[in-house]
Amino acid sequence: MKNKIVIYGRLFLGLVVFALAVLAFYQKYPFKIFDIQFVAALQSGIITGALISFVLIGLILVLSFCFGRIYCSVLCPLGIFQEILTILFKPIYRNKTVEIKHYFVSYILACVLFGIFFGGTAVIIRLVDPYSVFGNAISGAGFGIGFAAALSILVFFKKRFFCVNICPVGCILGIISKRALLKMNIEEDKCQKCGLCARICPTGSINLKQQKIDNETCVKCLKCLPTCKHGAIVLSKASKEPAFDLSRRNLIKSCALLLVLRATIKAGMDLSKYVSSKAKSVILPAGAKNVKDFANRCLNCNLCVKNCPMKIIKKATKETPFVHIEYGSNFCKYKCHKCSEVCPSGAIEKISLKIKQKTKIATAVVDEQKCIGCGVCAYECPRQIIIKNEGNPPIIRFDECIGCGACANVCPVQAISMTPAENQIILS
């Protein structure tokens, strides 16, 4: 009974996190659950140097060292999504054990992804980062929906294979969890090798022949605890810590991984420069600094897209592979800085509303051939920097214009266009 309470409590917390994650994309963000997503917090710390980001990363690592990969089953929305799928597919798994082998290539993949990331660009890691792809999927982006569909098929056949062999965050936390203070263990004198625990394990972490549990791949779903009818599986401190394997083979593997990491950091630097050189000049949300940096930093989670009340922040396209502003039939609300509030990765810096109202993201330009001199734009400018000019084209004080687009939105003849700021600056 006690074990069931533990597992239901863990499942309840996971579902609460998942609900908060979904609500966040529908402008309901009471608790910033995405600020504790590993890659987002790591990037935020690297970009902004914010102490809170490093504290959050530290807490995740400490949590993993104490309890193992509990992050994967409670705090990761993509992990919880896979858990929901395993529950739905449970009738299919009932009479068979899904074996999942942990491949060494997962370490190489993690080195490549994080190497490029530390080299200065997130354009590769965001393709598999659990937070990024979850946001991409829940926001209805094509890539995210395709990823979710492929992941569902993978879960159907191989349960949480993604968490064991593909997820770069899982790889890092797994290495730490391997030496966690509390681990899942099998008490050999009680184990009857009935196989019930192995069948229900979503990561294939239970080895019945050796009567051992691989705590590196175990995501601490705790389902095996109430499943074992003999009480052979326990969450406890290992009676004997395994010694570090200093064999020649493992030393060679470690050195190879370090070489891969070093090489991919260099590749990341080169890729970062390439991405910057190819970035199209577009208008960005206040706090995004400039296109060259933003193109490498945006995780394309689309949280800002879904939370923008004016719906001017658009998803990545083939031409512009990162979120950006398109005014169209609307403008940037002067008394709003929602995008800055919700972005957890530091791609859009967290700035105050006062700073946002002074951040130049573009400049309004008047086409004098189209302008009819009605002066409507002057009345609508929130900063009052457009001067009506008696039937002539208005005078715009360009050094005071922040490029919110309010003037262009009300112009009856579409005589006003917005030119993106090459580098966002804060006006006096």
Side-chain angles (χ1 to χ4, degrees):
M1 181 64 182
K2 181 180 178 181
N3 286 336
K4 286 188 176 181
I5 292 175
V6 171
I7 187 175
Y8 287 143
R10 195 274 309 163
L11 183 58
F12 175 75
L13 288 175
L15 291 176
V16 168
V17 169
F18 188 78
L20 289 172
V22 173
L23 289 174
F25 284 86
Y26 294 90
Q27 302 187 35
K28 304 292 183 183
Y29 207 21
F31 178 71
K32 295 188 176 181
I33 196 67
F34 291 128
D35 284 4
I36 56 175
Q37 295 304 304
F38 190 86
V39 172
L42 182 61
Q43 178 168 271
S44 178
I46 293 172
I47 294 173
T48 67
L51 178 61
I52 185 63
S53 298
F54 292 111
V55 169
L56 291 173
I57 288 293
L59 288 175
I60 293 172
L61 297 179
V62 169
L63 183 68
S64 300
F65 180 70
C66 291
F67 304 104
R69 289 175 61 175
I70 195 75
Y71 171 93
C72 301
S73 59
V74 176
L75 298 177
C76 174
L78 194 67
I80 301 166
F81 170 70
Q82 292 176 81
E83 169 124 7
I84 294 171
L85 289 177
T86 58
I87 293 174
L88 294 176
F89 297 152
K90 186 176 180 179
I92 301 168
Y93 303 140
R94 189 179 300 278
N95 297 316
K96 66 176 182 178
T97 301
V98 177
E99 296 183 2
I100 304 176
K101 185 177 180 181
H102 182 207
Y103 296 100
F104 177 73
V105 72
S106 64
Y107 299 119
I108 298 175
L109 180 60
C111 283
V112 171
L113 293 171
F114 277 109
I116 293 174
F117 176 73
F118 288 128
T121 181
V123 297
I124 302 298
I125 200 171
R126 70 188 182 200
L127 298 177
V128 291
D129 167 49
Y131 159 65
S132 301
V133 295
F134 171 81
N136 214 262
I138 204 70
S139 63
F143 171 78
I145 293 174
F147 191 100
L151 184 61
S152 298
I153 295 173
L154 185 60
V155 172
F156 183 86
F157 288 105
K158 284 290 186 178
K159 292 188 178 181
R160 296 184 69 165
F161 182 91
F162 174 85
C163 300
V164 175
N165 287 300
I166 300 175
C167 179
V169 176
C171 182
I172 298 300
L173 299 184
I175 293 172
I176 297 172
S177 300
K178 193 172 185 177
R179 293 190 167 273
L181 298 179
L182 290 177
K183 298 179 179 179
M184 302 300 299
N185 297 296
I186 297 178
E187 296 185 347
E188 297 181 18
D189 58 327
K190 295 181 180 180
C191 179
Q192 302 298 311
K193 295 186 178 181
C194 64
L196 290 176
C197 56
R199 290 176 193 166
I200 202 170
C201 180
T203 56
S205 302
I206 300 176
N207 188 323
L208 282 180
K209 291 182 179 179
Q210 298 180 8
Q211 292 183 304
K212 292 182 179 180
I213 297 177
D214 186 349
N215 282 271
E216 181 177 357
T217 59
C218 172
V219 293
K220 298 299 182 292
C221 69
L222 308 178
K223 293 178 182 178
C224 54
L225 289 177
T227 299
C228 182
K229 307 302 181 183
H230 309 284
I233 298 180
V234 294
L235 177 62
S236 63
K237 190 178 187 300
S239 58
K240 183 180 180 180
E241 291 294 331
F244 282 104
D245 189 346
L246 298 178
S247 65
R248 180 179 179 183
R249 182 179 180 182
N250 281 310
L251 285 174
I252 292 175
K253 285 182 177 180
S254 298
C255 291
L257 290 175
L258 288 175
L259 290 174
V260 170
L261 183 63
R262 179 180 178 181
T264 50
I265 288 177
K266 176 61 171 62
M269 293 178 180
D270 295 335
L271 181 59
S272 173
K273 294 176 183 177
Y274 176 79
V275 171
S276 295
S277 68
K278 295 295 182 179
K280 180 182 177 182
S281 181
V282 291
I283 302 174
L284 299 175
K289 301 298 184 181
N290 60 70
V291 171
K292 292 183 178 181
D293 288 340
F294 189 75
N296 283 301
R297 294 173 176 175
C298 180
L299 293 179
N300 275 348
C301 67
N302 295 329
L303 191 57
C304 59
V305 175
K306 297 295 287 185
N307 277 272
C308 177
M310 307 302 281
K311 302 304 177 187
I312 59 169
I313 304 181
K314 305 300 181 181
K315 300 171 186 174
T317 63
K318 185 176 181 180
E319 295 74 25
T320 308
F322 48 86
V323 301
H324 54 284
I325 289 178
E326 292 179 9
Y327 284 126
S329 60
N330 224 327
F331 60 97
C332 183
K333 192 175 180 181
Y334 191 61
K335 294 183 178 181
C336 170
H337 67 314
K338 194 70 176 177
C339 54
S340 171
E341 289 182 311
V342 302
C343 180
S345 69
I348 302 176
E349 185 181 345
K350 295 187 184 299
I351 56 177
S352 66
L353 177 60
K354 185 177 180 181
I355 294 298
K356 182 265 183 180
Q357 293 174 340
K358 297 191 295 183
T359 301
K360 189 180 188 67
I361 62 175
T363 303
V365 179
V366 178
D367 185 338
E368 296 185 0
Q369 300 300 316
K370 292 183 178 180
C371 181
I372 58 176
C374 64
V376 175
C377 55
Y379 293 113
E380 292 297 325
C381 178
R383 287 177 60 84
Q384 298 298 299
I385 53 91
I386 301 179
I387 302 171
K388 189 175 179 181
N389 196 19
E390 297 298 332
N392 294 312
I395 299 173
I396 300 178
R397 290 158 53 193
F398 299 114
D399 58 333
E400 291 294 323
C401 175
I402 61 171
C404 67
C407 55
N409 184 66
V410 297
C411 181
V413 294
Q414 298 181 328
I416 302 178
S417 60
M418 312 304 297
T419 301
E422 187 173 336
N423 289 288
Q424 293 181 359
I425 59 173
I426 300 174
L427 305 177
S428 57

